[in-house]
Structures are given as structure tokens and as C-alpha cells.
Amino acid sequence: MADAQPEAAAGSLRAASQSLRETAKWLVGGVTATAAGVFAGSSLTNLGSLSLPADVLRLLAALLGVSFGLACIGQLAWRAIDVLVVETISLDELVDSPDSDRAKLVTRLEAVFKDALPGQTTTLADLRDKIRDENKKEAAQQDTGFLDSAGAFLPMLMAEASFRHVADRFDRLRRILRLRVAGAVIGFGVFAWAANPPARPAPAPEPPAAIPY
């Protein structure tokens, strides 16, 4: 990655990030549409036939089932939103962020670009500080070679950071996908069962009041 041309590498990483976002959108959109179709397609005509207190357990099961199914779909949608959100972040914000996930991301980026950081810097914090120091100097005293190489390097660095950030969130979405889909199927299945009780047997005919003879 570090040996590729900066602009081409940055463009490829941005395209990869967008591809993951599109995949997350269609993946969760398809799951949600399918779950909604199953829910809408289940027969609800018998739900009104349930009555209290005779059918209290079925009513409770229907409520719990649909709540659990919707909660599973909601968590998938929430994870998908995490992937779809486009965040802008500067090198300063990346280095100084107290967030533990971003701290891990900085460590991974430093490993990826270990031998490619401009100006013989070894960490992103060193790179940030050296850029600051050079920008504070008078124009005649600036190390323009370093600033030029840093300016060409930063787009690739930030594109790599963005891609890895999106990829991490996509992995979280993928890890919970099977369990949440299974949970939605179970929840909506319980609802469909509870909302459709078996037909009650017809009452026995009453004997005639009088028998002629």
C-alpha cells in the first residue's frame, strides 16, 4: 500500500470504503424488507379473537415476540447506520482522540506505514508535530521537501484511516447479522403463532326443551 502512487492509492481506498457502505445498505435493507414482508404476511385476522383472561398468555407471547423481532431488526439498522455515516477527521483529531477505537486505529496505521512516514518520523504524533513546527517557521527556513512529501502523503494516510474505520464497523455488522436475523425470525414466528390460535370447537347443541311423543 505504501509503495503505490499516493493519489491512486487514496482513490482506491475511498472506492473500497464506498463499496462497504453500499454493501451494508443493501444487506440490511434486504434483511429489513424480508422481515417486514414476513411480518406483514402473517395472518393477523385472528388477533382480535383473543380475549382476556382466557388468552392472556397468547397476548403476552405476541407482544414479546414482535418486540424481540423488532429489537433485532433495530440493532441491525443501528449497526448499518454506523457503517453508512461518513465522518471527516483531521490528523490532529485522529492523534489526539481519547476514543479507544481510534487509538487502536492509530497503532495499526503506524504499523502499515512504518517505513513510509515522511521526514523520518516514526509515529503519527511525530509526523503531526513536525508538520506543525515547519509551518510555524518563516518561509525561507521551512523544509519544503518535507512539507511537499507530507502534503502528498496525508491524503493516502487519511484514506487508509477512513477505510479501516469503515471496515471495522462493517465487521461488527457482519458478526451480529446471523444472530439478529435468527432472533427476528424467532420473534416474528412466536408472534404469528400467538396471534393465530387454533379454531375453538363449536359448542355442543342444546337438547330440545320438550320431546314430542
Side-chain angles (χ1 to χ4, degrees):
M1 186 67 66
D3 295 332
Q5 294 295 326
E7 286 300 325
S12 297
L13 289 167
R14 285 191 290 268
S17 297
Q18 184 60 31
S19 177
L20 286 178
R21 289 190 174 99
E22 289 296 322
T23 302
K25 179 174 68 175
W26 289 111
L27 184 66
V28 177
V31 170
T32 304
T34 301
V38 171
F39 176 66
S42 63
S43 175
L44 305 181
T45 55
N46 292 331
L47 186 61
S49 66
L50 301 180
S51 60
L52 294 174
D55 298 310
V56 63
L57 293 180
R58 280 188 173 271
L59 287 170
L60 182 60
L63 177 61
L64 292 177
V66 72
S67 298
F68 184 71
L70 291 175
C72 290
I73 295 299
Q75 188 174 20
L76 278 178
W78 184 260
R79 290 294 189 188
I81 290 173
D82 277 347
V83 179
L84 296 174
V85 169
V86 178
E87 297 181 71
T88 57
I89 186 171
S90 66
L91 180 59
D92 286 343
E93 293 170 331
L94 182 61
V95 170
D96 295 332
S97 175
D99 184 75
S100 60
D101 287 339
R102 287 187 175 174
K104 293 177 183 177
L105 177 58
V106 168
T107 301
R108 292 165 63 191
L109 291 172
E110 290 172 347
V112 170
F113 295 106
K114 180 179 180 181
D115 299 320
L117 294 177
Q120 298 181 336
T121 54
T122 57
T123 66
L124 297 188
D126 290 342
L127 175 61
R128 186 271 312 273
D129 293 340
K130 189 167 184 177
I131 292 173
R132 282 181 176 177
D133 292 341
E134 292 299 328
N135 284 326
K136 289 178 180 178
K137 294 179 182 178
E138 297 292 336
Q141 297 176 331
Q142 288 180 346
D143 184 349
T144 56
F146 165 74
L147 291 177
D148 289 343
S149 61
F153 175 77
L154 284 178
M156 182 172 63
L157 172 68
M158 301 314 294
E160 180 79 25
S162 176
F163 170 72
R164 290 179 178 270
H165 175 70
V166 173
D168 286 344
R169 293 191 171 189
F170 185 83
D171 283 342
R172 292 175 188 172
L173 170 63
R174 183 175 56 82
R175 285 196 297 268
I176 71 167
L177 184 62
R178 290 183 182 179
L179 289 177
R180 296 302 176 268
V181 170
V185 170
I186 292 171
F188 293 142
V190 170
F191 171 80
W193 170 82
N196 293 275
R200 290 182 172 86
E206 296 182 3
I211 302 176
Y213 62 93

